[in-house]
Amino acid sequence: MASAPSTTLAPAPLRSPSRRFPGLPAILCRRAPAPAPVARRLALALAPARASVRCRAAVKLVGDGEFEAEVLQSELPVLVDFVADWCGPCRLVAPVVDWASEEYEGRLKIVKIDHDANPQIIEKYKVYGLPALILFKNGQEVPGSRREGAINKTKFKDYIEPLLETSNVA
C-alpha cells in the first residue's frame, strides 16, 4: 500500500520587484508618485544648483571692496540686504526688496551682500540669520534696524518708515 504524499507548506521566498534591493517586500520598493506640476516647478525654482544672487537694476550687489564707498560713505540711508544662493527665504524677500528700491528711490539706497562671498562683512556685522536687513545712516548701523527672516510688503513698510524718519545713530 502506497502512502499519500505529504503536503507541508513552506513559506514562499519574498520576491523583490527591484534588483537594487533584493529581499525587500514589494510594497517597500514601489516608486513614489511623481510630484504635481506646481511642486515640481517650485522645486526647480528653489534648487541651489540653479540659483544665484540676482539683483534688479536699482539694487546693487556689493562686495568687500565696494562696501565702504557704497554703504558707509553714502549720502542717503542704505538698507543692506544680506542674502545667499541657498537661502529659500532670501528668494521670498527678493521681490519685496526690489519693490522697495523703486518705491523709496531718492530716499533710500538698497544694496545686497552675498553672504558666502563676503565673510569679512558678515563677521564684522555679526550676521547670523538670513535674510538679514540692516539700515545704515551716516556710515553707522542704525540701532534697532536689524531684521532677520522673510517679510512682506506691508511689514516692510512698517519696518522701514520709522527708521527713515529717525536720524539718530549708534
Side-chain angles (χ1 to χ4, degrees):
M1 180 167 150
S3 65
S6 103
T7 55
T8 59
L9 296 176
L14 293 175
R15 291 190 179 177
S16 174
S18 171
R19 291 181 198 155
R20 291 176 42 205
F21 306 105
L24 280 180
I27 192 134
L28 296 178
C29 294
R30 290 188 187 148
R31 292 180 180 235
V38 173
R40 188 174 313 138
R41 283 195 307 265
L42 181 62
L44 289 173
L46 298 178
R50 296 176 186 241
S52 64
V53 176
R54 294 184 190 115
C55 304
R56 290 180 72 155
V59 180
K60 185 175 182 182
L61 185 62
V62 175
D64 286 331
E66 307 146 325
F67 185 78
E68 186 171 341
E70 292 289 332
V71 177
L72 302 180
Q73 296 175 359
S74 175
E75 297 287 324
L76 290 174
V78 181
L79 181 68
V80 179
D81 181 18
F82 292 90
V83 296
D85 291 345
W86 45 264
C87 173
C90 296
R91 279 176 260 163
L92 291 173
V93 171
V96 175
V97 172
D98 292 339
W99 165 84
S101 69
E102 295 171 4
E103 181 75 16
Y104 295 98
E105 188 174 3
R107 293 178 55 200
L108 177 68
K109 182 178 181 180
I110 300 178
V111 299
K112 289 189 180 193
I113 295 183
D114 184 8
H115 179 274
D116 297 333
N118 300 289
Q120 294 85 9
I121 296 173
I122 299 301
E123 185 177 329
K124 180 177 180 180
Y125 291 101
K126 296 176 178 40
V127 177
Y128 299 120
L130 293 179
L133 300 171
I134 302 176
L135 184 68
F136 288 84
K137 282 186 184 178
N138 302 323
Q140 296 181 359
E141 179 181 340
V142 174
S145 69
R146 283 184 182 248
R147 173 96 164 74
E148 291 181 357
I151 189 170
N152 62 25
K153 283 184 186 179
T154 306
K155 290 188 180 187
F156 184 89
K157 280 184 174 182
D158 294 342
Y159 158 73
I160 202 67
E161 290 289 338
L163 293 172
L164 289 176
E165 292 170 3
T166 62
S167 61
N168 56 340
V169 291

